[in-house]
Amino acid sequence: MAVNESLLPAVERVAELLRGAEHIACLTGAGVSAESGVPTFRGVGGLWEGRRPETLATPEAFAADPEEVWRFYLWRRRLLVACKPNPGHYALARLERRKPGLTLITQNVDGLHLEAGSRRVLAVHGDIWIDRCTRCGHEARATDKDLQTIPHCGSCGALTRPGVVWFGEMLPADVWTQAERAAASCDLMLVVGTSSLVYPAASLADVARAGGATIVEINPQATPLTSEADVGIPSPSGEALPAIVDRLGDS
Ligand code: BV8
Ligand code: ZN
């Protein structure tokens, strides 16, 4: 689908900002994977068996009932096996090739940015495809051969957990430091497909603005960031991002 005609001036404005920017940070959330068929967290269909992800994505839920939390994550992995990157993911990978100063920071754990060809990806909430041992910390990439069985550690046999950051857990320190640095030093920040409700990721736009960056939001719905953004494109990212990157041309 092409971007709505009425948004073309905003699309051209963002392309112009990208042409002039050297350091660009892009923060993405679940919305950038929505057009790939991945349910968002807080949108319609974002529930699992009537439960909200926030109540399952916690250390407490895992301690109380590891099997139930694993059923949630195995369900999401089975969903993801059928999901492919969408034009929004591919546009960001093209943008990285055109603008090497781009840093892509994602809250998503689905791996679709890497699958679309983005190379410099800071996954601040981890990776759903990683199994991490609860005893020895050994990490292994899940194979999608069998997504019905709770994985155990290949090294010590103990129960594993998904390699994602749960609510109440610290973000991986090295990745978070790089994300903060990219936000603080960018001239332009694109905030794409996120409700801007989850911290500290949602604070990155404030860090960028404090550093003098121009803020662009791409999201069909309004968020707490919308009133603060310099440019807003109320469009699905799978339509807006390709339109923007197409306008960069080869100049
Ligand atoms: C931490 C991995 C503690 C797991 C995730 C009260 C106030 C402020 C903060 C807190 C508070 N109480 C608790 C906190 C902290 C908490 C938090 O922020 N809670 C929120 C809910 C209030 N944060 C934490 O716990 C973080 N850790 O703070 O550490 C600490 C501090 C010091 C010392 C020790 C400890 C950890 C947060 C990470 C949690 N893990 N995911 C998993 O995936 O299973 S977060 C989860 O939410 C996902 O990663 C998701 O990406 C993220 C954010 O959601 P969004 O990506 O924005 O998705 P959402 O569905 O919300 O929105 C989708 C958007 O897309 C919508 O706006 C929609 O309009 C738009 N959209 C839809 N379609 C499209 C589209 N956009 C474009 N195109 C489309 N087609
Ligand atoms: Zn182990």
Side-chain angles (χ1 to χ4, degrees):
M1 282 265 283
V3 72
N4 186 307
E5 285 268 311
S6 65
L7 300 177
L8 289 180
V11 165
E12 180 46 43
R13 174 91 183 94
V14 175
E16 192 189 322
L17 288 166
L18 280 168
R19 281 187 213 103
E22 193 188 337
H23 299 291
I24 304 158
C26 179
L27 173 67
T28 64
V32 87
S33 295
E35 290 155 274
S36 296
V38 183
T40 61
F41 273 73
R42 293 165 189 87
V44 174
L47 293 177
W48 176 74
E49 296 191 354
R51 288 197 57 182
R52 302 201 56 72
E54 286 90 342
T55 64
L56 289 153
T58 70
E60 295 76 18
F62 187 74
D65 189 344
E67 283 72 30
E68 183 183 42
V69 172
W70 260 119
R71 279 201 307 280
F72 171 55
Y73 281 95
L74 290 171
W75 170 74
R76 285 175 62 192
R77 285 183 180 178
R78 288 195 297 275
L79 259 187
L80 278 173
V81 165
C83 296
K84 292 289 160 240
N86 67 61
H89 293 108
Y90 288 115
L92 288 175
R94 276 167 53 208
L95 180 60
E96 184 185 54
R97 291 192 289 274
R98 289 277 289 101
K99 302 294 288 189
L102 170 70
T103 300
L104 177 53
I105 303 159
T106 189
Q107 301 171 86
N108 300 341
V109 297
D110 57 30
L112 291 179
H113 284 304
L114 287 171
E115 196 176 326
S118 289
R119 283 290 155 265
R120 184 158 158 60
V121 180
L122 300 176
V124 295
H125 291 163
D127 180 342
I128 198 169
W129 291 107
I130 295 293
D131 299 335
R132 184 187 310 140
C133 182
T134 56
R135 183 191 299 154
C136 73
H138 174 74
E139 292 196 350
R141 180 157 292 280
T143 53
D144 60 9
K145 279 195 296 289
D146 164 15
L147 291 175
Q148 303 291 343
T149 315
I150 295 173
H152 283 72
C153 177
S155 168
C156 77
L159 179 69
T160 62
R161 58 162 284 177
V164 299
V165 179
W166 280 330
F167 288 98
E169 293 187 321
M170 294 293 282
L171 278 58
D174 53 335
V175 176
W176 178 246
T177 305
Q178 291 177 70
E180 270 190 319
R181 192 174 298 138
S185 60
C186 71
D187 321 306
L188 174 65
M189 174 174 263
L190 309 180
V191 181
V192 188
T194 180
S195 57
S196 290
L197 292 174
V198 174
Y199 284 80
S203 67
L204 290 172
D206 305 330
V207 171
R209 192 179 319 104
T214 302
I215 308 294
V216 173
E217 183 181 41
I218 299 174
N219 192 326
Q221 307 287 327
T223 73
L225 179 68
T226 305
S227 57
E228 314 278 323
D230 299 290
V231 184
I233 303 188
S235 157
S237 48
E239 297 170 15
L241 288 171
I244 292 164
V245 179
D246 286 349
R247 262 157 195 71
L248 281 188
D250 298 326
S251 56

